[in-house]
């Protein structure tokens, strides 16, 4: 039996400021670091021996993983960074305060951009403050930076990576950790739990709270629980 821990990064500075973050490389707040440490405490207490870790190329997820592994005394575990596990790109909404955006465009329109499965926000203007098309990390990783993404487009990059790089190791019986983001983890939950397009947009992933899954040979969850029960959110039905 394989085990998989999914960890959304701890609170970031833009989470605190209620801003659309996406691919902008925002760091953790003090609370976010504390959440990452608690995640490490909970994973250590679970007794699971993990063999490898995966994360995005964004510092809030990388740092969350570092802090958790340090707390677990497992900083020697192999870590693979993949841009495919990045947060959803919020396009032209990037950097905007969510409340102010709702006032400007209307709550219904912002709700569509945030919560619809396949309708992306307006694209980010090329050359704007948050345009990362020339960021050296994406040249290194061979990634063409998107101008905007819906949850479906996020899943379109997460799923092939998961199926090629992660799923075979889980099927071989390895226990793995993935530290990533609200929407890339939502995409993984959709895959693993076979959640419908309509239902997945209502799944909330709390920051810094490990979701520990037991998986059968076909990678179907046989059990699933958030390790911090006080901050758990509702999971799809097994």
């Amino acid at each position: 039996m394989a085990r998989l821990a999914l960890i959304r990064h701890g609170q970031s500075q833009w989470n605190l400021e209620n801003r659309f973050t996406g691919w902008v490389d925002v760091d953790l707040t003090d609370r976010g670091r504390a959440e990452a440490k608690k995640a490490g405490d909970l994973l250590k207490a679970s007794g699971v021996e993990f063999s490898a870790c995966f994360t995005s190329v964004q510092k809030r997820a990388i740092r969350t993983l570092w802090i958790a592994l340090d707390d677990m005394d497992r900083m020697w575990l192999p870590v693979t960074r993949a841009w495919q596990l990045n947060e959803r790109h919020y396009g032209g909404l990037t950097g905007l305060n969510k409340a102010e955006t709702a006032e400007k465009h209307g709550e219904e329109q912002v709700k569509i951009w945030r919560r619809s499965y396949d309708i992306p926000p307006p694209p980010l203007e090329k050359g704007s403050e948050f345009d990362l098309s020339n960021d050296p990390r994406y040249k290194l990783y061979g990634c063409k930076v998107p101008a905007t993404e819906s949850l479906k487009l996020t899943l379109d990059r997460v799923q092939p990576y998961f199926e090629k790089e992660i799923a075979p190791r889980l099927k071989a019986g390895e226990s793995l950790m993935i530290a990533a983001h609200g929407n890339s983890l939502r995409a993984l939950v959709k895959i693993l739990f076979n959640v419908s397009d309509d239902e997945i947009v209502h799944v909330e992933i709390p920051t810094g709270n490990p979701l520990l899954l037991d998986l059968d040979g076909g990678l179907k969850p046989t059990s699933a629980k958030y390790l911090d029960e006080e901050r758990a959110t509702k999971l799809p039905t097994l």
Side-chain angles (χ1 to χ4, degrees):
M1 177 185 69
R3 308 189 83 178
L4 176 63
L6 303 178
I7 314 164
R8 182 184 176 188
H9 63 79
Q11 183 193 62
S12 75
Q13 186 60 40
W14 280 16
N15 289 148
L16 178 62
E17 296 173 13
N18 200 32
R19 300 170 72 183
F20 291 100
T21 311
W23 281 39
V24 178
D25 209 14
V26 177
D27 210 342
L28 300 178
T29 61
D30 288 344
R31 172 182 159 182
R33 291 168 187 253
E35 289 176 345
K37 185 179 186 304
K38 185 170 185 180
D41 290 339
L42 293 166
L43 287 164
K44 184 175 182 179
S46 75
V48 178
E49 282 295 344
F50 297 95
S51 60
C53 311
F54 294 83
T55 188
S56 71
V57 297
Q58 297 180 278
K59 70 175 69 172
R60 57 192 185 273
I62 296 169
R63 197 178 305 283
T64 295
L65 182 60
W66 281 355
I67 294 170
L69 290 176
D70 187 20
D71 206 65
M72 297 164 68
D73 194 24
R74 290 293 183 272
M75 292 195 80
W76 43 264
L77 282 174
V79 176
T80 301
R81 295 173 180 82
W83 66 267
Q84 291 91 337
L85 297 175
N86 274 17
E87 178 57 293
R88 169 189 173 188
H89 196 300
Y90 276 103
L93 302 184
T94 300
L96 298 178
N97 178 279
K98 294 174 184 177
E100 292 173 350
T101 307
E103 289 179 7
K104 180 178 179 180
H105 296 283
E107 290 187 7
E108 283 305 311
Q109 180 61 66
V110 175
K111 184 177 180 180
I112 290 171
W113 287 331
R114 291 187 67 190
R115 292 303 184 190
S116 66
Y117 176 64
D118 57 2
I119 301 176
L124 184 69
E125 185 177 343
K126 192 167 181 60
S128 71
E129 179 183 1
F130 303 119
D131 180 8
L132 297 172
S133 57
N134 291 317
D135 190 299
R137 90 191 76 184
Y138 298 113
K139 292 183 178 180
L140 177 67
Y141 284 94
C143 164
K144 182 178 179 181
V145 178
T148 186
E149 288 181 310
S150 60
L151 177 55
K152 181 181 184 301
L153 290 172
T154 305
L155 184 138
D156 286 347
R157 60 172 159 85
V158 170
Q159 186 164 10
Y161 183 81
F162 175 77
E163 291 176 350
K164 181 181 178 182
E165 303 294 340
I166 301 175
R169 299 181 67 166
L170 292 169
K171 289 178 179 178
E174 290 190 58
S175 291
L176 305 174
M177 295 171 57
I178 302 175
H181 307 263
N183 283 291
S184 51
L185 293 178
R186 188 180 278 126
L188 288 172
V189 167
K190 187 180 194 311
I191 295 164
L192 292 166
F193 288 83
N194 194 28
V195 183
S196 71
D197 297 352
D198 291 337
E199 290 300 316
I200 193 57
V201 297
H202 301 296
V203 172
E204 293 291 342
I205 311 289
T207 56
N209 189 353
L211 174 58
L212 186 60
L213 309 175
D214 293 341
L215 304 171
D216 65 18
L219 303 189
K220 180 179 174 59
T222 57
S223 73
K225 64 177 180 180
Y226 282 108
L227 298 186
D228 184 350
E229 295 181 1
E230 292 182 359
R231 295 201 305 119
T233 54
K234 185 178 180 181
L235 289 167
T237 304
L238 293 175

